[in-house]
Amino acid sequence: MEAGEILLRKGLLNKRQLELSRNTQTDGLRLDQAAVEMGFLTEEDALRALGEEVHLDFIDLAETEVDLKLLKTFPLKFIYREALFPVRQSNGSLVVATSDPFDLYPLDELSAATGLTISPVLASRREIDKLIKTHLGVGSETIDGLLAQAEDSSIELLDELETDGSELSEMAQEPSVVRLVNEILLEAIETRASDVHIESQQHGLLIRYRIDGVLHAQSVPPEISRFRAAIISRLKIMARLNIAERRLPQDGRIQLKVKGREVDVRVSVIPMIHGEGLVLRLLDKGGMEFSLSKLGMEPDLYKTFKELIRLPHGIILVTGPTGSGKSTTLYSSLLEIRDPSTKIITTEDPVEYQLEGINQIQVHPKIGLTFANSLRSILRHDPDIILIGEIRDLETAEHAIQASLTGHLVFSTLHTNDAAGAYTRLVDMGVEPFLVSSTVEAVMAQRLVRTLCEKCKEPYRPDPDELPSDFPIEELDNGATVCRPVGCRACRQVGYRGRLGLFELMVTTEEIRQLAHDRASTWSIARTAVEQGARTLRQDGWLKVLTGRTSLDEVVRVTKGTRG
């Protein structure tokens, strides 16, 4: 049960206070914490009530005797990251104070790290912080203590670093700062994060990891904010950026080797009101697998798509917003059809993964090497198959069409909401409708949904009133099962682990060619495709819900604004 509902049932909040707390609740803040901040109840009362519900005792640390000798062997990173504090130990069991009655994953990690049975008790965060500051100090000693406990990060830079000898540069090279930055990167890689967001806020530094498409705030010690400039400078040095430039955006790249695996990190720095914000895009070359059969396509769609990517000529487009897996689908398609008898050339911005046996070109618009310009040269290299990273303008679109008309198979991406929108988008760019209708062989729209954790998902019967109007409810009556997330140690209490694709494949039939030729609306093209048996993104999502691979909420979240 949600924290707010528990407090409402126990009479500590009324409905109005609950509603106000929900309205002011921010990302990463529990509802009971929001209610405490608004003065509706004390943290102690909230934790006592929640503790009763989850069978955890509440203790007042100000009145409790704490065995401080335990700090000598207690892993300090759990104190700073998770705000856990050891209280006493007896008979192989360690009593640990926490202020979060719902997040048990750090306790499991602590048990694994210490080899002891952990007995959690609840205590106010204010009292835990007071103990940390009293007995472990504030500032550089605190951070150094944390870093001294860190395991070997096994992070190796593949490029030599260059520094300018400035005071900020020297601070960024301090061993404690180096280890702290390495730990941030290592944890992101171990949690399968695709991006790390390091944001300068008014009251300090906020670090968030994007895991399976969703941002998760990371617990960091408040003292880390004193190292903000050094952390940002260290990352800028690693990415070969100008550490003295804080007024303009900068982009760079870090090449790492982590436990034998190569990881490419794209770094973007943007100046903001309270300081610079960094986003690190992690490309784990060793952990990435490009396999068309493992993307989540239904068998019938997979069979059709495999036939399409083996056509001798024409254009095949993959559409969807940023981060919807378009590049993965295209790379997987190229590897599926890669053969010593065919020459494949790609032009990308940027080249995300290097593929064996495929010729890849990195676009450099600043020096005039655009998609359009590179295409002119590509055709002189006698390719059979061409991949264009994205069709952004009329010139690139015209070159892609010309290549397909001269006997080449062309793959590319477009930013459209659904498959039908690709035809009208090309016409809107200025391409003649008869060229669109005669060259585009198929369009695949896609999204990514999180897959339910296999170890903790639970089947349930949804209330018919909760189901979306286009959900095939009759399938439930025929024995299909719907599952929902629960959360366990394997998925870090999230309920999801990994992602798979939702796909909407529109093959250009004669009817659709005629509609594209006649400048028909996106709606008319989509309706005709559905009448001919195409599945929409939502319908593909419902299939995955009914087979227990993802949840209703995930499909609704990801397909908002698409046709049912």
Side-chain angles (χ1 to χ4, degrees):
M1 182 179 285
E2 187 231 357
E5 297 293 337
I6 295 170
L7 298 177
L8 178 67
R9 179 161 51 78
K10 290 183 176 288
L12 293 172
L13 290 181
N14 57 40
K15 288 188 177 180
R16 175 65 179 157
Q17 291 170 332
L18 178 60
E19 184 182 344
L20 287 170
S21 301
R22 280 184 176 145
N23 290 340
T24 58
Q25 190 179 1
T26 56
D27 187 37
L29 191 70
R30 296 196 316 268
L31 189 135
D32 58 295
Q33 293 171 327
V36 169
E37 283 192 3
M38 296 187 75
F40 296 145
L41 75 169
T42 65
E43 184 186 12
E44 288 79 1
D45 287 342
L47 288 176
R48 285 183 194 277
L50 297 175
E52 286 176 13
E53 193 71 23
V54 295
H55 308 295
L56 290 180
D57 292 332
F58 177 86
I59 64 169
D60 183 349
L61 285 176
E63 304 292 330
T64 302
E65 189 176 338
V66 176
D67 184 356
L68 297 175
K69 293 195 295 292
L70 294 172
L71 290 175
K72 292 179 181 178
T73 56
F74 193 84
L76 294 185
K77 64 181 180 181
F78 288 98
I79 293 179
Y80 294 112
R81 270 201 214 141
E82 312 294 350
L84 301 179
F85 202 92
V87 178
R88 59 180 175 274
Q89 182 177 347
S90 61
N91 302 324
S93 177
L94 183 63
V95 177
V96 174
T98 176
S99 62
D100 192 338
F102 301 111
D103 188 8
L104 301 180
Y105 182 76
L107 298 169
D108 290 338
E109 277 192 311
L110 178 60
S111 179
T114 59
L116 298 169
T117 302
I118 304 300
S119 300
V121 291
L122 290 178
S124 85
R125 180 61 183 262
R126 185 182 67 256
E127 292 297 333
I128 292 175
D129 288 343
K130 194 182 293 182
L131 278 176
I132 293 172
K133 289 177 182 177
T134 302
H135 300 292
L136 293 167
V138 178
S140 59
E141 298 83 9
T142 303
I143 297 295
D144 285 341
L146 160 66
L147 294 165
Q149 295 286 327
E151 298 170 6
D152 177 20
S153 61
S154 304
I155 286 186
E156 175 190 345
L157 280 168
L158 299 184
D159 293 325
E160 288 295 321
L161 296 185
E162 297 175 8
T163 60
D164 58 10
S166 66
E167 185 181 346
L168 193 57
S169 172
E170 293 303 314
M171 193 191 304
Q173 298 301 97
E174 287 286 330
S176 58
V177 175
V178 171
R179 288 198 298 268
L180 181 54
V181 169
N182 284 356
E183 193 179 337
I184 291 169
L185 290 169
L186 186 67
E187 188 168 338
I189 292 162
E190 287 179 347
T191 56
R192 302 176 300 106
S194 60
D195 303 85
V196 179
H197 293 241
I198 300 174
E199 302 163 358
S200 297
Q201 304 285 317
Q202 184 175 1
H203 302 295
L205 207 61
L206 174 65
I207 299 178
R208 297 191 286 175
Y209 295 162
R210 189 177 294 280
I211 304 169
D212 293 334
V214 177
L215 280 172
H216 297 268
Q218 300 302 300
S219 299
V220 293
E223 293 80 10
I224 202 173
S225 298
R226 294 178 56 178
F227 290 77
R228 173 164 57 187
I231 290 168
I232 291 173
S233 296
R234 169 66 182 171
L235 286 164
K236 286 166 91 173
I237 290 170
M238 291 169 75
R240 297 177 174 274
L241 301 178
N242 181 358
I243 64 169
E245 179 56 76
R246 300 180 197 172
R247 299 166 302 169
L248 294 172
Q250 298 187 73
D251 293 305
R253 178 183 179 189
I254 304 169
Q255 290 181 290
L256 305 172
K257 186 170 276 189
V258 181
K259 296 180 180 175
R261 296 207 320 251
E262 280 193 30
V263 178
D264 208 9
V265 183
R266 302 291 162 85
V267 182
S268 176
V269 186
I270 297 180
M272 297 188 183
I273 293 174
H274 299 295
E276 290 172 298
L278 280 77
V279 174
L280 315 177
R281 165 64 59 88
L282 307 178
L283 302 172
D284 186 354
K285 297 176 181 179
M288 195 66 194
E289 180 185 10
F290 296 108
S291 171
L292 202 61
S293 61
K294 295 179 181 178
L295 299 182
M297 296 182 191
E298 298 301 318
D300 57 339
L301 188 144
Y302 176 57
K303 180 175 179 292
T304 304
F305 192 68
K306 277 208 307 182
E307 293 168 0
L308 286 165
I309 61 177
R310 287 175 169 80
L311 289 173
H313 54 78
I315 298 176
I316 293 172
L317 297 171
V318 179
T319 78
T322 303
S324 58
K326 300 187 296 294
S327 296
T328 303
T329 298
L330 288 173
Y331 282 160
S332 300
S333 300
L334 293 182
L335 292 179
E336 181 89 10
I337 57 178
R338 179 181 57 182
D339 186 88
S341 63
T342 58
K343 180 161 185 174
I344 302 173
I345 303 182
T346 77
T347 175
E348 306 168 60
D349 183 19
V351 174
E352 293 188 350
Y353 294 94
Q354 295 172 26
L355 306 176
E356 192 71 32
I358 292 171
N359 304 282
Q360 295 170 275
I361 298 171
Q362 170 74 57
V363 168
H364 287 289
K366 287 181 181 176
I367 60 171
L369 184 59
T370 61
F371 282 127
N373 290 341
S374 62
L375 276 170
R376 291 195 194 99
S377 303
I378 283 173
L379 292 174
R380 298 191 197 108
H381 276 245
D382 187 30
D384 300 289
I385 298 160
I386 300 168
L387 166 65
I388 305 165
E390 184 185 345
I391 295 178
R392 295 175 179 169
D393 50 46
L394 175 59
E395 190 181 5
T396 307
E398 287 178 336
H399 282 297
I401 284 168
Q402 194 57 43
S404 72
L405 289 172
T406 52
H408 303 88
L409 181 60
V410 179
F411 292 91
S412 192
T413 70
L414 271 178
H415 284 287
T416 62
N417 205 30
D418 56 12
Y423 302 91
T424 52
R425 176 63 58 84
L426 289 172
V427 173
D428 290 342
M429 281 182 183
V431 180
E432 290 295 333
F434 76 90
L435 288 174
V436 175
S437 64
S438 59
T439 56
V440 177
E441 295 296 334
V443 183
M444 177 128 84
Q446 69 177 73
R447 299 288 189 279
L448 290 176
V449 291
R450 292 180 293 172
T451 48
L452 287 165
C453 174
E454 287 295 330
K455 295 191 176 178
C456 66
K457 67 180 182 182
E458 70 172 14
Y460 78 112
R461 176 81 184 192
D463 189 322
D465 296 336
E466 298 172 4
L467 294 171
S469 58
D470 60 328
F471 184 83
I473 194 169
E474 64 278 359
E475 295 295 329
L476 297 179
D477 299 327
N478 295 334
T481 304
V482 175
C483 294
R484 60 186 167 196
V486 177
C488 66
R489 182 174 178 177
C491 62
R492 298 177 66 90
Q493 307 301 327
V494 177
Y496 298 95
R497 185 171 173 82
R499 290 190 288 178
L500 80 162
L502 303 185
F503 300 96
E504 176 181 298
L505 179 61
M506 187 173 291
V507 180
T508 312
T509 61
E510 288 307 313
E511 291 84 354
I512 289 175
R513 282 192 205 282
Q514 189 61 51
L515 288 169
H517 181 276
D518 296 342
R519 295 177 182 264
S521 67
T522 301
W523 184 85
S524 300
I525 295 172
R527 184 184 60 184
T528 301
V530 170
E531 287 171 356
Q532 293 178 345
R535 264 196 308 272
T536 65
L537 285 165
R538 297 266 289 193
Q539 289 168 342
D540 196 50
W542 301 144
L543 277 177
K544 290 169 172 62
V545 169
L546 291 165
T547 49
R549 285 173 284 174
T550 191
S551 68
L552 276 163
D553 290 344
E554 262 303 281
V555 173
V556 170
R557 177 181 72 86
V558 167
T559 60
K560 273 180 185 170
T562 63
R563 292 179 178 83

